Amino acid sequence: MKTIQRIIRFAKVKTFAFKCIAVGAALALVATACVAQLASTQLIGGRQTAQAATASRTLTVTLSAKRGRILDTNGNVLAQSVERYTIVANPEAAQEFVPITCNDTTRDYCDEIDGKPVGATGAAAVGRLLAKALDMNAMELGAKMSGTGQYVVLKKDVTPQVKRSIDALNLGGIVWGELSSERLYADGEILGSLLGGVNDDGTGVAGIEQMENKELTGTDGHQTYQRGNGGEEIPGTMTESVAAKDGSDVTLTIDRDVQWYVKKVLKEAKSKYGSPWGIAVVQDIQNAQILALADSDEVEAGSDEAKMSTSRAVSETFEPGSVGKVISMSGYLQTGLHKMSDQLTVPDHTTQDGQTIKDSFDHGSERWTLAGILQNSSNVGMVLAGLGFTDEQRYEFLTKFGIGQPTGLGLPGESSGMLTSPSSWDLRTRNTILFGQGYTVNVLQLNNVVATIANKGVKQQQSIIKSTTSSGGAASKTGKDTATRVIDEDVAADMMNAMESVAESYSKFVKVDGYRMASKSGTAEVQGADGTLSSIISDYSVVIPADNPRYAVTVVLKDPSGVYGGLTAGPVSAQICEFLMQKYEVPVSSPRKNAIPVTW
């Protein structure tokens, strides 16, 4: 019996032992598998896992380059880009947001609004926290962050102060600011469409912003680093940093003070004379720099209108009328056809090639010299004096003075006007060409005609860009120092003499006390909206001082009451000239001597 019991006990012990061994073997197998997996993870896949983890928290951030400034000739800022931020959010993170209740322990990182609990969770809570800083509706903000995805723009062009206030809300990883910029213009409509504007990408799309876009545009940089759960940079993880290179500053020849004054008097003239528009240009005769180029239009620089339009002072073309006589008369003298003192008998009308030409006023047969013909602005006198002036010569001097050709300034939207070849002229046009009709000009071209005469017959390349300065401070002049002699110096002197007599004839309406002026007025009938010659262009070009030429000014008015250029555009040009003499403290003129006789 005992033997049987021992056998039974042995069998049970043996069975238990087997079970223990089996369990131990199973555990050993599991342990071996775990060790093998651990070894595989650490030794085989560790590098890939670490790389994946690093990649998931590595961020490359663009460092935006700032667009260069536009300055006037004295360094006054006309356009500049200022630091701004685009506030963006992660909707998925916003929807999981739970505000932290404020107490003594959490005071440095808790969430509350004006000392009170947020009162919501998720995107609604984030919206409530942001509403005051962004000056937006909390529900609108919450709705923006209730969608899918990890990126949504909440507001653009916020100031650094607003961005700092958002940073203080402890919303890292949910809401952050991306650096951008905003283009600001200092003087509103003073330069208007001439400056133009930039699009949403910061690219110049009109005016000088477009013309100088390459110089003004910088090169973006970037930084690569690892970020923590809150979106912050992990110290010591910066692997690459390339600094942004800001765009160059562009300095104009424009003098802001002169531009402001010219704009002011043009707007006053528009109102006084009932003109739809007026334009004007001021040019330094000594270096051909444009000091002012203005129109009466009220367009804010940087506005949608400025981006979609061209400055009228650049794009508007017109028949110059009698101002164009100085071109033909310069040709008469330069070719030797006439001297300024030559004597002619001039009736108030003449018929040439079957075409009747009349003066603007009735008169008998007048005994005028060539200087007298210019002073009295006689169309008939110009035609009679031009009988030996060939069509080719007429065209040659127009082109030498720059008519029908680009000014070389490169301003967007600039029109070169219209000048056809002699082969296309009819019998009337070949004569009207002599007194400024039958071709069109822009105000810059016309002003450079009188500036060329005042510059002793040498035509210079006009400029409106004075220099560029890189972000590193290196300056470079951009003007073109090209000059071409158009007429001889003695011819130019005789033209100035005759133009001074013209100015004296208008001295009751157009004068600057203490200063001699040389000028020419113009009035041209042009096509109106009805397709007939029902519209008027009145213009006036003047050089001051006549005895020491410093500035050339041209004013153009459309359909002014008073009609004639000398009575409308003339007084406006005198206002501008008076301002120039005072601003630049130009010495007064010496008395006039040796005037060429205007009658005989």
Side-chain angles (χ1 to χ4, degrees):
M1 186 67 180
K2 291 181 177 179
T3 302
I4 294 172
Q5 290 176 341
R6 284 197 297 272
I7 293 170
I8 292 171
R9 284 199 297 272
F10 177 76
K12 289 181 177 180
V13 170
K14 186 176 180 181
T15 300
F16 178 73
F18 281 141
K19 288 182 178 179
C20 288
I21 292 169
V23 171
L27 291 173
L29 287 172
V30 171
T32 301
C34 288
V35 170
Q37 182 62 39
L38 180 61
S40 175
T41 299
Q42 292 185 336
L43 300 179
I44 301 174
R47 178 175 297 178
Q48 291 88 337
T49 302
Q51 290 175 344
T54 299
S56 68
R57 61 175 181 266
T58 297
L59 178 69
T60 297
V61 177
T62 298
L63 303 177
S64 299
K66 185 180 291 185
R67 188 172 177 83
R69 300 175 299 169
I70 300 177
L71 313 171
D72 88 331
T73 190
N74 298 312
N76 296 306
V77 177
L78 303 174
Q80 64 178 327
S81 295
V82 294
E83 181 182 342
R84 291 292 183 264
Y85 289 87
T86 298
I87 303 302
V88 298
N90 182 332
E92 293 181 1
Q95 292 163 35
E96 297 176 359
F97 175 70
V98 178
I100 298 174
T101 303
C102 291
N103 53 46
D104 292 341
T105 304
T106 64
R107 182 60 58 187
D108 293 336
Y109 54 89
C110 64
D111 304 294
E112 61 182 12
I113 301 174
D114 296 330
K116 298 178 181 180
V118 177
T121 61
V126 178
R128 292 185 183 184
L129 288 167
L130 290 172
K132 184 175 181 181
L134 291 178
D135 191 24
M136 293 176 66
N137 182 274
M139 293 183 63
E140 178 186 352
L141 288 167
K144 284 188 174 186
M145 293 180 284
S146 296
T148 59
Q150 297 181 337
Y151 188 95
V152 63
V153 174
L154 301 181
K155 192 172 185 178
K156 293 182 177 181
D157 295 330
V158 306
T159 64
Q161 293 87 342
V162 171
K163 193 258 185 185
R164 287 194 292 270
S165 68
I166 292 173
D167 291 342
L169 294 175
N170 303 312
L171 295 173
I174 301 174
V175 179
W176 64 95
E178 295 181 344
L179 182 64
S180 62
S181 64
E182 181 182 8
R183 197 68 166 167
L184 299 182
Y185 298 90
D187 293 310
E189 65 180 41
I190 293 178
L191 280 102
S193 297
L194 184 63
L195 281 181
V198 300
N199 62 16
D200 291 341
D201 296 327
T203 301
V205 294
I208 290 171
E209 290 277 26
Q210 177 184 355
M211 182 175 78
E212 293 297 305
N213 187 63
K214 183 177 179 180
E215 293 290 344
L216 292 165
T217 302
T219 303
D220 289 344
H222 64 270
Q223 288 182 339
T224 301
Y225 57 83
Q226 296 179 38
R227 58 180 175 174
N229 292 332
E232 73 282 358
E233 178 186 345
I234 299 174
T237 63
M238 183 79 70
T239 58
E240 187 176 18
S241 179
V242 177
K245 182 180 179 182
D246 292 339
S248 297
D249 289 343
V250 173
T251 299
L252 307 183
T253 61
I254 297 288
D255 186 317
R256 185 180 65 179
D257 293 343
V258 179
Q259 181 78 15
W260 168 81
Y261 189 78
V262 172
K263 183 86 174 182
K264 172 180 175 292
V265 297
L266 283 176
K267 291 170 65 175
E268 292 171 351
K270 176 181 176 181
S271 175
K272 178 178 180 179
Y273 297 109
S275 298
W277 53 259
I279 55 180
V281 59
V282 177
Q283 179 174 332
D284 188 319
I285 290 172
Q286 296 176 349
N287 53 27
Q289 292 183 353
I290 304 302
L291 301 180
L293 181 60
D295 57 58
S296 59
D297 297 343
E298 299 181 19
V299 178
E300 292 279 340
S303 67
D304 289 341
E305 187 175 359
K307 297 174 191 177
M308 297 175 65
S309 60
T310 301
S311 168
R312 187 184 298 275
V314 173
S315 63
E316 195 72 51
T317 59
F318 51 91
E319 290 188 345
S322 292
V323 179
K325 289 172 180 170
V326 301
I327 298 175
S328 303
M329 193 162 287
S330 294
Y332 297 168
L333 302 183
Q334 182 65 32
T335 59
L337 179 63
H338 286 291
K339 298 187 296 295
M340 192 62 79
S341 57
D342 282 358
Q343 302 170 347
L344 288 85
T345 300
V346 183
D348 63 0
H349 68 278
T350 184
T351 300
Q352 302 291 331
D353 301 320
Q355 302 292 315
T356 299
I357 305 295
K358 297 181 179 180
D359 279 341
S360 61
F361 60 100
D362 295 333
H363 61 81
S365 294
E366 301 287 349
R367 297 196 299 179
W368 288 328
T369 64
L370 209 63
I373 288 172
L374 191 68
Q375 183 189 55
N376 290 278
S377 200
S378 172
N379 296 342
V380 174
M382 290 298 298
V383 171
L384 294 178
L387 290 177
F389 201 50
T390 68
D391 289 357
E392 288 70 24
Q393 289 173 325
R394 300 174 193 203
Y395 182 81
E396 175 190 357
F397 279 90
L398 287 166
T399 56
K400 278 186 174 182
F401 274 102
I403 307 303
Q405 303 167 46
T407 62
L409 293 175
L411 290 165
E414 180 187 346
S415 172
S416 299
M418 181 189 69
L419 174 63
T420 58
S421 63
S423 61
S424 66
W425 295 348
D426 58 29
L427 295 177
R428 186 167 187 83
T429 299
R430 67 179 300 272
N431 284 318
T432 62
I433 286 286
L434 296 174
F435 48 83
Q437 296 186 24
Y439 62 92
T440 62
V441 298
N442 64 38
V443 70
L444 288 160
Q445 292 170 328
L446 188 59
N447 199 61
N448 211 24
V449 170
V450 295
T452 296
I453 294 171
N455 194 42
K456 300 180 180 180
V458 176
K459 179 176 176 287
Q460 298 186 87
Q461 171 60 55
Q462 294 168 307
S463 63
I464 199 167
I465 306 299
K466 184 176 182 180
S467 64
T468 60
T469 305
S470 70
S471 57
S476 60
K477 183 180 177 182
T478 58
K480 301 176 182 177
D481 295 325
T482 58
T484 305
R485 178 163 293 283
V486 177
I487 53 178
D488 293 339
E489 188 171 338
D490 60 338
V491 170
D494 284 346
M495 286 301 303
M496 285 290 291
N497 192 312
M499 289 169 64
E500 190 167 356
S501 294
V502 173
E504 288 179 348
S505 70
Y506 284 103
S507 60
K508 290 184 179 180
F509 315 101
V510 187
K511 67 176 181 178
V512 178
D513 290 339
Y515 296 91
R516 290 159 52 186
M517 306 166 78
S519 64
K520 187 67 191 80
S521 65
T523 308
E525 290 183 318
V526 296
Q527 187 174 18
D530 59 1
T532 66
L533 296 178
S534 58
S535 199
I536 293 291
I537 288 293
S538 298
D539 50 8
Y540 199 89
S541 293
V542 57
V543 172
I544 187 169
D547 55 325
N548 181 27
R550 288 288 307 278
Y551 305 102
V553 178
T554 294
V555 173
V556 185
L557 298 177
K558 176 72 177 295
D559 290 330
S561 59
V563 181
Y564 296 107
L567 304 181
T568 56
V572 178
S573 70
Q575 287 181 268
I576 296 171
C577 288
E578 184 175 26
F579 179 83
L580 294 172
M581 297 302 97
Q582 294 174 355
K583 174 178 172 57
Y584 295 114
E585 299 180 346
V586 179
V588 296
S589 294
S590 57
R592 186 184 185 193
K593 299 177 181 179
N594 302 319
I596 297 174
V598 294
T599 60
W600 57 280

